[in-house]
Amino acid sequence: MRPLARIAATALRTATATLCTVTALALTACDPVFAQQQDTGAFARLTGPEVANKALAATRAATSVRITVEAKAPDGTPVEAYVATDIRGACTVTLSMGAAGTMDLVRTGGTVYTQSDEAMLRAASAGRPRTDAEVKKLTGRWVKAGDADRFTAQTLSYCDRKGFLDRLAENSDSARKGRATTVDSTPALSLTGRAGRGSWQAAVATEGRPHLLKLRFSTGTPLTVEFTEFDKPFTVKRPAI
């Protein structure tokens, strides 16, 4: 090959290689589908909604789970709930509502029992104030839940993991994959999405079963839910009343 021909061929190969490199970088930056194909991390072949649906399925299927909830009541009162529940319906809850007090709840065999401190007893019976004698008698005692306690239904709702998961399921089609992260040292993948006029964030375990580890909603009343101790059995005993 003549010198000029060799120079032209080399220039052509160089230009072609450069064009391919630039094109690949542009596709990765601009085309989410191409970028996803280059992803070698956890759930690399799945879209955001597919990851969310896998997390929902795994978390629904867990035989038992512990749930920690942080939220705010409509009046701004901080609410914390610590829950243990299983697929048979057994459940324990410790609910704290700031100045409104604390309630413990147990559901076993289809029956609900509660135990409240003085502040909760007075707050829960706002429509029919209890006498000091009644409050003194009931403080710290287990009783069968009754309609008079307006916080019982709210406390019982925390036993229903389905409610939290359904809220995510309703918005899972907006899920987008984010960065690798950790939740209490468990490797996870972050997800983000839209919920009404707000947003949601989640973390999905990337080792073992793809359980939902953390869920946060910023829309409406802010809510943060953490899921732990999947499939670890626990015993719920009927309180002595």
Side-chain angles (χ1 to χ4, degrees):
M1 182 181 294
R2 290 179 298 175
L4 288 176
R6 284 199 299 271
I7 292 172
T10 300
L12 179 60
R13 286 195 299 270
T14 301
T16 301
T18 301
L19 178 60
C20 289
T21 300
V22 171
T23 301
L25 289 174
L27 284 172
T28 301
C30 303
D31 189 340
V33 174
F34 186 90
Q36 181 173 303
Q37 291 172 345
Q38 304 305 304
D39 182 5
T40 58
F43 309 122
R45 296 180 180 275
L46 300 181
T47 65
E50 288 172 337
V51 176
N53 290 333
K54 283 183 70 70
L56 287 166
T59 308
R60 286 189 181 109
T63 56
S64 62
V65 64
R66 269 65 170 179
I67 305 172
T68 301
V69 182
E70 294 182 2
K72 285 188 177 181
D75 63 0
T77 299
V79 178
E80 295 182 348
Y82 303 92
V83 184
T85 184
D86 64 20
I87 58 175
R88 300 171 301 171
C91 182
T92 65
V93 184
T94 295
L95 176 72
S96 175
M97 298 187 65
T102 300
M103 172 188 289
D104 293 310
L105 179 146
V106 167
R107 182 172 66 189
T108 180
T111 303
V112 178
Y113 306 87
T114 61
Q115 173 184 261
S116 303
D117 64 9
E118 179 180 346
M120 180 64 79
L121 286 168
R122 294 189 184 280
S125 59
R128 187 194 63 81
R130 290 187 171 100
T131 65
D132 290 343
E134 288 178 311
V135 170
K136 182 177 181 179
K137 179 181 178 181
L138 294 173
T139 297
R141 286 189 56 186
W142 285 102
V143 297
K144 284 188 178 181
D147 296 336
D149 189 339
R150 66 190 181 95
F151 288 127
T152 296
Q154 177 180 342
T155 307
L156 190 59
S157 70
Y158 295 119
C159 292
D160 181 18
R161 76 178 104 165
K162 182 178 181 296
F164 299 119
L165 300 181
D166 283 352
R167 188 172 177 184
L168 174 59
E170 292 169 0
N171 298 280
S172 63
D173 59 350
S174 67
R176 296 181 63 182
K177 294 192 292 185
R179 297 180 178 181
T181 184
T182 58
V183 178
D184 292 333
S185 76
T186 300
L189 175 70
S190 62
L191 296 176
T192 58
R194 300 181 306 277
R197 296 184 178 180
S199 62
W200 60 265
Q201 301 85 41
V204 179
T206 55
E207 292 185 358
R209 295 179 180 176
H211 291 126
L212 184 64
L213 303 178
K214 194 167 186 176
L215 178 61
R216 179 181 292 116
F217 283 92
S218 64
T219 183
T221 302
L223 172 71
T224 301
V225 187
E226 292 191 37
F227 301 88
T228 60
E229 299 187 49
F230 297 93
D231 301 314
K232 292 187 177 181
F234 66 96
T235 301
V236 179
K237 294 183 179 180
R238 177 183 178 277
I241 59 175

